[in-house]
């Protein structure tokens, strides 16, 4: 007689609470193509790009810059809208992106072949409504003055070569890496030469929170790691990363356990998820450490007895706050010394 998988005397029931919550991707750039209409797709190498775009096209040249960095991006998403600068309404670019994010929104970085002044300003306005980052290269130094301090999530580079795609290459450099483990300044973009700019022009670009490719002590490097808004781009990345992951962590708790009780113990369950995420962020290099060598963050939260009864009746848990210290990165070094006999 065949053995049964079940016993009449012992019954074991296991409820699976391991279903994953979809996590926002932080390693996928999107190329907004403008030479033709193209449904959303993801390329894994430049040879796949060549199936859709001629090697002389701006799309192919931009994708070459993206795939040509080290470490190499694993994937490059692409979405195409037919648009010609000066001939169509520039709002067609933002309209296309609005349509795209309704169905395909799991990308974090935006680059585009449309990089005239009007197109850059349109895409800057669009990206300002998203928790995403836009990288673009322009030939117009004056544009850096116009956009200075306006957009926290835009990386703007200036280069005399319209096909340099310096900012886009920086995006490709960072995309496959762990957020918090790197900064954008002093990095080399493969295939990009130093921009033909005077020292005064370079200083103006940096002062306007933009960047360019310079030759420094024999190295071809990115001049600045700031977003055009004035904050360092790695700080903006960390901000968006933590926002997304905290939303996912707490939602997973609410969605996968039978009940988070409205008690001090239930509140502690939420706080524990946050605590786990912050410890992970510390290991990534996002959060600094305190004088004791511990992650430098604090989470404050209310006790149930301190929460208004009306709020409890609405099943809203309020006033969970945190403070953390960003690890940042060293970009300049000052050394003082005295030489004596």
């Amino acid at each position: 007689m065949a053995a049964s998988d079940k016993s009449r005397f012992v019954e074991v029931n296991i409820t699976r609470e391991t279903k994953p919550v979809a996590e926002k991707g932080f390693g996928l750039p999107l190329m907004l193509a403008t030479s033709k209409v193209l449904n959303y797709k993801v390329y894994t190498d430049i040879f796949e790009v060549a199936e859709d775009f001629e090697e002389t096209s701006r799309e192919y040249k931009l994708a070459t810059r993206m795939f040509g960095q080290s470490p190499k991006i694993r994937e490059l998403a692409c979405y195409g809208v037919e648009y010609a600068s000066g001939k169509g309404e520039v709002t067609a670019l933002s309209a296309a992106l609005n349509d795209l994010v309704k169905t395909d929104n799991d990308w974090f970085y935006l680059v585009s072949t449309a990089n005239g002044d009007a197109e850059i300003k349109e895409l800057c306005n669009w990206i300002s409504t998203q928790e995403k980052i836009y990288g673009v290269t322009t030939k117009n130094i004056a544009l850096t003055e116009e956009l200075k301090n306006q957009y926290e999530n835009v990386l703007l580079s200036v280069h005399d070569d319209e096909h340099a795609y310096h900012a886009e290459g920086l995006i490709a450099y960072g995309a496959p890496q762990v957020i918090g483990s790197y900064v954008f300044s002093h990095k080399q973009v493969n295939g990009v030469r130093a921009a033909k700019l005077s020292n005064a022009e370079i200083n103006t670009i940096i002062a306007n929170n933009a960047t360019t490719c310079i030759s420094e002590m024999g190295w071809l490097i990115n001049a600045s790691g700031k977003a055009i808004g004035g904050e360092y781009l790695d700080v903006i990345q960390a901000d968006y990363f933590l926002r997304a992951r905290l939303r996912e962590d707490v939602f997973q708790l609410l969605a996968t356990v039978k009940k988070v009780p409205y008690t001090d113990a239930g509140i502690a369950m939420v706080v524990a998820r946050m605590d786990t995420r912050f410890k992970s962020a510390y290991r990534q290099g996002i959060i600094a450490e305190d004088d004791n060598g511990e992650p430098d963050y604090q989470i404050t939260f209310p006790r149930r007895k301190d929460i208004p009864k009306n709020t409890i009746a609405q099943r809203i848990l309020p006033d969970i706050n945190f403070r953390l210290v960003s690890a940042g990165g060293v970009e300049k070094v000052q050394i003082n010394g005295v030489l004596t006999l």
Side-chain angles (χ1 to χ4, degrees):
M1 183 176 179
S4 172
D5 289 337
K6 297 182 179 179
S7 167
R8 63 170 55 88
F9 303 112
V10 180
E11 182 177 345
V12 177
N13 296 307
I14 298 177
T15 301
R16 295 189 182 97
E17 296 178 352
T18 58
K19 182 179 179 181
V21 170
E23 292 189 345
K24 179 180 176 63
F26 284 88
L28 182 61
L30 171 80
M31 176 174 67
L32 179 63
T34 55
S35 66
K36 64 180 181 181
V37 174
L38 185 73
N39 290 333
Y40 179 85
K41 65 189 304 183
V42 177
Y43 302 117
T44 59
D45 57 45
I46 192 64
F47 304 106
E48 294 178 350
V49 178
E51 295 175 3
D52 291 321
F53 299 100
E54 297 291 335
E55 292 185 12
T56 56
S57 69
R58 294 171 66 90
E59 285 84 0
Y60 185 88
K61 292 175 180 178
L62 174 51
T64 298
R65 181 72 70 239
M66 301 293 286
F67 277 115
Q69 303 312 307
S70 181
K72 178 178 173 291
I73 56 173
R74 292 179 291 275
E75 296 177 323
L76 174 64
C78 184
Y79 184 64
V81 56
E82 193 167 354
Y83 170 83
S85 182
K87 297 181 180 179
E89 292 292 332
V90 71
T91 52
L93 301 175
S94 54
L97 290 169
N98 284 333
D99 287 340
L100 175 64
V101 296
K102 293 174 184 177
T103 56
D104 297 282
N105 197 27
D106 194 26
W107 49 274
F108 184 56
Y109 302 99
L110 173 66
V111 299
S112 178
T113 53
N115 61 350
D117 287 4
E119 290 77 22
I120 290 174
K121 285 187 260 188
E122 179 70 14
L123 292 176
C124 281
N125 283 327
W126 185 85
I127 207 74
S128 68
T129 66
Q130 310 291 314
E131 290 180 9
K132 299 178 185 291
I133 289 172
Y134 170 41
V136 63
T137 306
T138 179
K139 297 177 69 174
N140 184 9
I141 297 176
L143 187 63
T144 67
E145 181 70 38
E146 184 176 350
L147 300 183
K148 179 182 179 181
N149 296 329
Q150 290 191 44
Y151 302 101
E152 70 173 17
N153 53 345
V154 174
L155 173 64
L156 180 63
S157 179
V158 178
H159 203 285
D160 58 281
D161 179 4
E162 65 176 356
H163 298 306
Y165 297 122
H166 178 244
E168 294 85 343
L170 286 166
I171 292 297
Y173 163 82
Q177 302 191 67
V178 175
I179 289 177
S181 68
Y182 67 94
V183 296
F184 285 92
S185 59
H186 310 146
K187 301 304 180 288
Q188 181 173 356
V189 177
N190 295 336
V192 179
R193 61 165 171 78
K196 295 178 181 178
L197 299 166
S198 68
N199 283 333
E201 289 173 325
I202 292 171
N203 291 338
T204 296
I205 290 166
I206 295 173
N208 290 340
N209 303 325
T211 190
T212 186
C213 182
I214 63 174
S215 179
E216 184 81 7
M217 301 182 69
W219 289 68
L220 286 173
I221 62 169
N222 177 39
S224 172
K226 286 186 176 181
I228 197 72
E231 182 59 270
Y232 284 98
L233 194 61
D234 60 289
V235 174
I236 302 300
Q237 281 182 315
D239 178 350
Y240 293 169
F241 176 84
L242 286 174
R243 290 189 205 188
R245 292 294 183 255
L246 286 172
R247 283 194 293 261
E248 293 160 0
D249 292 340
V250 175
F251 177 77
Q252 184 180 50
L253 173 68
L254 297 174
T256 60
V257 303
K258 293 177 66 175
K259 178 182 179 179
V260 177
Y262 210 131
T263 62
D264 288 345
I267 296 169
M269 292 168 67
V270 175
V271 174
R273 292 294 176 109
M274 297 175 63
D275 187 64
T276 298
R277 175 55 61 187
F278 291 149
K279 284 183 169 61
S280 176
Y282 165 70
R283 292 191 294 271
Q284 286 181 226
I286 293 174
I287 298 177
E289 60 183 38
D290 60 22
D291 293 340
N292 297 317
E294 297 295 327
D296 198 349
Y297 68 88
Q298 296 176 345
I299 305 173
T300 59
F301 53 92
R303 301 284 298 275
R304 177 190 162 101
K305 65 182 179 64
D306 298 321
I307 299 173
K309 291 183 178 180
N310 184 54
T311 303
I312 294 174
Q314 296 177 66
R315 301 195 171 190
I316 298 172
L317 176 55
D319 300 328
I320 298 184
N321 302 306
F322 67 86
R323 166 199 165 276
L324 60 83
V325 178
S326 171
V330 176
E331 302 212 354
K332 287 187 178 181
V333 177
Q334 296 178 340
I335 300 174
N336 301 303
V338 177
L339 180 64
T340 65
L341 292 176

